[in-house]
């Protein structure tokens, strides 16, 4: 089955989790794009919507939703987003689209985080996908040297500027055997705004679409 069909199936399955009166956070990426196309079908259950990126805001508005600021809505009932990698503990790598900082804020602000992926994203150990890290532009070379000392191979995502005006380093060849510890460790490096490891705030529900349907893992 085509991965785009699987992504749509995962997005469709996430709709079941949206209860009447939900204040919803919406992630970014191609899987979420399917979700946004489907969201009008459950519009009557959604009270307010907050967005994780300028692209998502544009898509939500195009679908007829008024997007609220997180500052105005308070905590979210639910956050739905995709991932670049997920393990069976529902820890994730995110940030392939460069929206990791706002995604991490919304995930943390949500009572429930439902992650939607196709089965190619499920891995034994995180880190085959290059780890995205958002850095202050003035600290980029400094942070890159620190990452080399940790045996990673940071590559500047040249020409890309995040919604927050920062740069992304993608760290290659960086197997992450202990996601909690590595997230904590990288968070100590000045100049790093956000690490794309979501281990301290993993998903609560992982919906994995494969050839035979959508299965569910819970944290
Ligand atoms: C964006 C993300 C996305 O969730 C991640 O890149 C997955 O994207 P896709 O659904 O297109 O495979 O973290 O920053």
């Amino acid at each position: 089955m085509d991965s785009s069909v699987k992504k749509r199936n995962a997005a469709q399955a996430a709709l079941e989790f949206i209860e009447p009166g939900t204040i919803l956070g919406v992630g970014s990426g191609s899987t979420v794009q399917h979700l946004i196309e489907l969201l009008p079908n459950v519009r009557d259950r959604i009270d307010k919507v907050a967005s994780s990126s300028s692209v998502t805001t544009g898509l939500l508005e195009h679908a007829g939703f008024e997007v609220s600021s997180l500052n105005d809505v308070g905590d979210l009932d639910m956050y739905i987003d995709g991932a670049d990698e997920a393990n069976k503990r529902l820890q994730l790598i995110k940030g392939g689209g460069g929206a990791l900082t706002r995604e991490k804020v919304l995930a943390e602000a949500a009572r429930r985080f439902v992650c939607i992926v196709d089965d190619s994203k499920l891995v034994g150990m995180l880190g085959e996908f290059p780890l995205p890290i958002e850095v202050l532009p003035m600290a980029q070379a400094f942070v890159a040297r620190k990452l080399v000392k940790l045996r990673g191979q940071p590559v500047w995502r040249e020409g890309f500027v995040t919604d927050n005006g920062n740069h992304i380093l993608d760290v290659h060849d960086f197997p992450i055997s202990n996601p909690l510890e590595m997230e904590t460790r990288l968070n100590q490096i000045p100049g790093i705004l956000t690490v794309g490891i979501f281990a301290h705030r993993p998903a609560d529900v992982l919906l994995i679409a494969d050839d035979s349907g959508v299965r569910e893992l819970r944290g």
Side-chain angles (χ1 to χ4, degrees):
M1 189 187 288
D2 182 49
S3 81
S4 163
V5 177
K6 290 183 192 173
K7 287 178 180 190
R8 194 169 189 87
N9 290 346
Q12 176 74 47
L15 298 184
E16 305 296 318
F17 288 81
I18 300 175
E19 292 171 355
T22 292
I23 299 178
L24 180 68
V26 180
S28 300
S30 59
T31 316
V32 164
Q33 194 168 334
H34 289 293
L35 177 80
I36 294 170
E37 283 166 17
L38 295 165
L39 272 186
N41 300 333
V42 295
R43 188 188 304 273
D44 57 335
R45 286 189 246 150
I46 299 171
D47 187 12
K48 292 196 168 86
V49 183
S51 163
S52 62
S53 66
S54 54
V55 172
T56 288
T57 297
L59 292 169
L60 283 167
E61 287 175 349
H62 186 254
F65 289 92
E66 188 184 326
V67 176
S68 302
S69 152
L70 183 65
N71 290 322
D72 294 333
V73 301
D75 283 346
L76 305 171
D77 295 307
M78 173 161 308
Y79 179 57
I80 306 177
D81 198 356
D84 299 300
E85 279 185 352
N87 66 20
K88 286 194 170 158
R89 300 175 75 179
L90 279 58
Q91 299 166 324
L92 314 169
I93 284 186
K94 291 187 46 54
L100 62 164
T101 297
R102 297 182 189 197
E103 291 174 344
K104 209 172 223 189
V105 172
L106 293 192
E108 189 68 40
R111 278 187 274 285
R112 197 174 210 193
F113 176 8
V114 175
C115 183
I116 49 179
V117 295
D118 67 84
D119 55 350
S120 69
K121 307 285 184 69
L122 194 61
V123 297
M125 188 191 292
L126 300 179
E128 201 170 304
F129 187 91
L131 174 66
I133 297 184
E134 181 166 356
V135 296
L136 295 179
M138 60 75 71
Q140 181 184 319
F142 163 76
V143 171
R145 289 198 296 280
K146 288 279 189 193
L147 293 167
V148 168
K149 281 189 189 145
L150 292 172
R151 300 185 186 284
Q153 299 295 327
V155 176
W156 174 35
R157 205 181 288 181
E158 209 168 343
F160 182 86
V161 177
T162 69
D163 282 349
N164 315 305
N166 294 314
H167 290 177
I168 298 280
L169 291 171
D170 293 303
V171 190
H172 294 249
D173 304 323
F174 201 54
I176 301 164
S177 57
N178 187 334
L180 278 170
E181 189 187 88
M182 187 53 76
E183 186 179 6
T184 302
R185 192 166 177 178
L186 294 174
N187 275 333
Q188 309 311 311
I189 300 175
I192 288 185
L193 183 62
T194 304
V195 177
I197 302 172
F198 284 49
H200 286 282
R201 203 312 174 214
D204 299 307
V205 179
L206 182 63
L207 297 174
I208 309 156
D210 59 23
D211 286 331
S212 53
V214 180
R215 64 199 163 96
E216 188 178 311
L217 291 181
R218 289 194 185 235

